[in-house]
């Protein structure tokens, strides 16, 4: 990411990065809080559209009036009631962090412009943050990849468990076959010995 900002001492670059981190943290808090709120609202809407179908789908064998169903819905409603008014607080926190970042960058730029151009120990000006929507898109992509990785790991573990089960069954079949073969060989040996004794008696 290119920009026309000058290089600057590490200590000043660190101030900008710290302010950027505060913005990123505020963005993430707003993003995931809004995401959780929307998920709870969708679930409550599904319940309210058809409580019986909801209970049958998520709580098989339990009626709508059962404690698990009612307690879960009570908690979702409480979460929504808690998160709704806090969205404006998260937005205000983000706005304050954005303003603080702009002020830090302005103050740092003023200080750098007063310095001698050959001041040693300079580093590149930190790259600007992506847009809020760009950051949200990245988090959605990361979450999707993490979920996919989780599913692949679960599928791999299930496959390995099945392989282990099949191997164990195969070992048991082989062991049983060996035992049967040993019994057959013993029976044959006993029959041959009996035949020899009979022949010798004649």
């Amino acid at each position: 990411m290119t920009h026309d900002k000058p290089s600057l001492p590490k200590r000043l670059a660190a101030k900008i990065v710290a302010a950027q981190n505060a913005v990123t943290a505020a963005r993430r808090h707003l993003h995931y809080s809004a995401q959780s709120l929307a998920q709870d609202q969708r679930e409550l809407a599904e319940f309210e559209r058809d409580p019986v179908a909801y209970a049958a789908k998520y709580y098989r064998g339990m009626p709508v009036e059962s404690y698990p169903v009612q307690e879960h819905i009570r908690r979702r409603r409480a979460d929504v009631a808690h998160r709704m008014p806090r969205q404006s607080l998260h937005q205000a926190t983000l706005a304050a962090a954005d303003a603080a970042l702009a002020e830090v960058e302005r103050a740092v730029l003023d200080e750098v412009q007063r310095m001698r151009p050959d001041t040693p120990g300079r580093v590149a000006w930190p790259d600007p943050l992506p847009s809020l929507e760009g950051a949200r898109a990245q988090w959605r992509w990361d979450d999707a990849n993490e979920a996919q990785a989780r599913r692949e790991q679960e599928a791999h573990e299930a496959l390995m468990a099945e392989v282990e089960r099949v191997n164990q069954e195969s070992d048991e079949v082989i062991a049983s076959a060996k035992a049967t073969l040993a019994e057959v060989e013993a029976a044959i040996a006993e029959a041959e010995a009996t035949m020899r004794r009979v022949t010798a008696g004649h």
Side-chain angles (χ1 to χ4, degrees):
M1 193 176 294
T2 60
H3 50 73
D4 58 356
K5 297 292 180 62
S7 59
L8 70 174
K10 288 182 180 180
R11 64 178 180 82
L12 296 181
K15 288 185 177 181
I16 294 175
V17 171
Q20 288 179 332
N21 289 343
V23 171
T24 298
R27 284 177 170 185
R28 288 180 66 89
H29 202 169
L30 176 61
H31 170 74
Y32 285 106
S33 178
Q35 191 175 74
S36 297
L37 175 60
Q39 181 177 338
D40 287 344
Q41 289 174 323
R42 285 194 299 270
E43 186 173 350
L44 288 175
E46 182 181 2
F47 172 80
E48 289 162 3
R49 277 195 305 271
D50 193 337
V52 174
Y54 176 91
K57 181 178 179 181
Y58 298 105
Y59 295 87
R60 292 183 179 180
M62 295 185 181
V64 177
E65 299 79 11
S66 65
Y67 176 81
V69 176
Q70 290 299 315
E71 178 62 13
H72 180 77
I73 294 301
R74 184 194 68 78
R75 289 181 179 177
R76 294 290 75 76
R77 286 172 174 160
D79 287 343
V80 168
H82 174 74
R83 289 194 178 104
M84 281 285 286
R86 295 183 67 83
Q87 291 306 296
S88 58
L89 175 60
H90 298 326
Q91 290 168 351
T93 300
L94 176 55
D98 280 331
L101 172 59
E103 176 58 26
V104 167
E105 289 183 325
R106 185 199 62 76
V108 167
L109 184 58
D110 287 346
E111 186 171 346
V112 170
Q113 288 174 338
R114 292 195 301 269
M115 291 179 175
R116 292 168 54 91
D118 57 351
T119 303
R122 291 196 177 203
V123 296
W125 190 281
D127 287 335
L129 294 175
S131 67
L132 176 57
E133 188 48 46
R136 282 173 169 162
Q138 181 63 48
W139 294 328
R140 286 192 292 267
W141 189 84
D142 290 344
D143 291 344
N145 278 353
E146 183 178 346
Q148 178 64 24
R150 247 191 336 266
R151 288 192 295 270
E152 290 175 356
Q153 179 64 25
E154 289 168 358
H156 174 73
E157 290 174 356
L159 176 61
M160 290 299 99
E162 180 64 14
V163 169
E164 178 63 24
R165 184 187 67 78
V166 170
N167 286 342
Q168 185 174 355
E169 289 181 354
S170 297
D171 291 342
E172 291 172 356
V173 169
I174 292 171
S176 177
K178 286 181 177 179
T180 301
L181 179 60
E183 291 174 359
V184 170
E185 289 175 343
I188 291 173
E190 178 63 25
E192 290 175 344
T194 300
M195 185 173 294
R196 284 195 297 272
R197 286 196 299 273
V198 170
T199 302
H202 286 288

